């Protein structure tokens, strides 16, 4: 069962461009909504929220206190970033009922990359087929993250599949059990690298305005 974390918020009555002043003072405009409840516009502290996500992840249960009211059980539904600074620009919270299942994405955390024999001893390249997966469960059973132990990949034929993930029986994953999550591909041979270089070289000369220079006569 996931451990709930806390976050404080204040009701917000400014919108649009006027929220930029709040952002400049270290606040993030946010909104909380849910089935059967009115949406509420909020301010949350940028540092507090950033620290929460760093420590607990985005798929975690949050006890959201609004103006000292009784905390609401919410999850992070969506986030928007500034493409230049990478800072949070807006956050959507979804208020959940503890007796109703929710469907949300959970981050996959890969561990043991440096210990995988197929990488360490055979020189292969780890291939991660997905960064997160969608799960369905009661809010109280929502994992903050799911670990993928790739240290078990001993050969290029080995695979980590959905069925290998360590999750509670109360957490449902709507993917085929044999769906491949991670594998190690063999290193390219010198012949493959040579062919790749020739292909790239040939493609470049086809680009309009690019002229392949001939080697100077000796």
């Amino acid at each position: 069962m996931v451990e709930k974390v806390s976050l404080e918020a204040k009701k917000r009555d400014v919108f649009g461009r006027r929220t930029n002043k709040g952002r400049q003072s270290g606040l993030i405009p946010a909104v909380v909504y849910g089935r059967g409840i009115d949406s509420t516009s909020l301010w949350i502290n940028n540092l507090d929220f950033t620290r929460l996500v760093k420590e607990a992840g985005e798929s975690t249960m949050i006890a959201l206190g609004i103006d000292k009211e009784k905390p609401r059980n919410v999850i992070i539904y969506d986030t928007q970033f500034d493409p230049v600074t990478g800072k949070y620009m807006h956050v959507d919270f979804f208020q959940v009922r503890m007796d109703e299942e929710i469907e949300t994405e959970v981050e996959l955390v890969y561990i043991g990359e440096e210990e995988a024999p197929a990488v360490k001893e055979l020189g292969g390249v780890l291939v991660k087929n997905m960064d997160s997966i969608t799960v369905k469960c009661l809010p109280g059973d929502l994992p903050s993250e799911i670990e993928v132990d790739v240290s078990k990949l001993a050969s290029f034929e080995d695979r980590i599949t959905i069925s290998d993930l360590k999750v509670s029986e109360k957490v449902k994953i709507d993917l085929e059990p044999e769906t491949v999550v991670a594998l190690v591909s063999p290193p390219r041979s010198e012949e493959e690298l040579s062919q790749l270089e020739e292909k790239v070289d040939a493609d470049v000369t086809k680009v309009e305005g690019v002229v392949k220079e001939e080697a100077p006569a000796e």
Side-chain angles (χ1 to χ4, degrees):
M1 182 177 295
V2 67
E3 183 178 350
K4 196 185 304 183
V5 295
S6 300
L7 182 68
E8 293 300 319
K10 294 182 178 181
K11 291 182 179 179
R12 170 170 57 93
D13 58 4
V14 295
F15 308 93
R17 294 183 178 179
R18 290 192 296 166
T19 58
N20 288 334
K21 187 175 181 180
R23 291 190 180 98
Q24 292 169 2
S25 63
L27 301 175
I28 307 173
V31 63
V32 58
Y33 48 83
R35 190 168 67 84
I37 67 168
D38 295 330
S39 63
T40 304
S41 298
L42 309 169
W43 286 118
I44 56 176
N45 183 276
N46 196 333
L47 289 177
D48 290 345
F49 182 74
T50 301
R51 187 181 300 112
L52 181 152
V53 172
K54 184 177 180 180
E55 295 177 355
E58 285 200 14
S59 54
T60 190
M61 280 285 298
I62 300 172
L64 182 67
I66 304 174
D67 290 335
K68 306 302 180 180
E69 296 176 359
K70 181 181 178 181
R72 307 186 187 190
N73 295 315
V74 305
I75 60 171
I76 300 170
Y77 186 78
D78 188 33
T79 54
Q80 297 176 19
F81 298 87
D82 184 305
V84 178
T85 64
K87 292 182 178 180
Y88 289 103
M89 295 294 289
H90 193 275
V91 179
D92 285 19
F93 295 105
F94 184 80
Q95 184 170 333
V96 300
R97 289 185 51 173
M98 300 304 289
D99 59 347
E100 290 186 354
E101 287 189 332
I102 56 173
E103 188 171 287
T104 187
E105 284 195 356
V106 175
E107 179 187 8
L108 296 180
V109 177
Y110 291 82
I111 61 173
E113 296 183 38
E114 298 180 358
E115 302 171 14
V119 174
K120 185 177 181 179
E121 300 170 11
L122 303 180
V125 178
L126 179 65
V127 179
K128 304 174 184 177
N129 285 338
M130 51 189 75
D131 298 319
S132 62
I133 56 174
T134 300
V135 304
K136 189 174 184 180
C137 61
L138 290 173
D141 297 317
L142 179 66
S144 58
E145 62 184 32
I146 297 175
E147 290 187 347
V148 183
D149 186 0
V150 297
S151 65
K152 302 173 182 177
L153 296 173
S155 72
F156 301 136
E157 287 72 38
D158 290 337
R159 303 285 187 270
I160 301 293
T161 65
I162 292 296
S163 62
D164 295 317
L165 301 181
K166 305 299 182 184
V167 296
S168 166
E169 294 180 354
K170 299 177 182 179
V171 177
K172 305 170 187 175
I173 301 175
D174 191 21
L175 288 172
E176 291 296 326
E178 297 309 310
T179 300
V180 176
V181 176
L183 55 87
V184 176
S185 63
R188 293 182 184 271
S189 65
E190 292 185 7
E191 181 180 353
E192 289 174 324
L193 290 174
S194 177
Q195 291 176 349
L196 183 61
E197 290 176 359
E198 289 177 3
K199 184 177 184 302
V200 172
D201 190 42
D203 289 343
V204 169
T205 61
K206 294 178 183 178
V207 179
E208 185 177 354
V210 176
V211 179
K212 185 176 180 180
E213 297 182 2
E214 296 183 0
E218 294 183 359

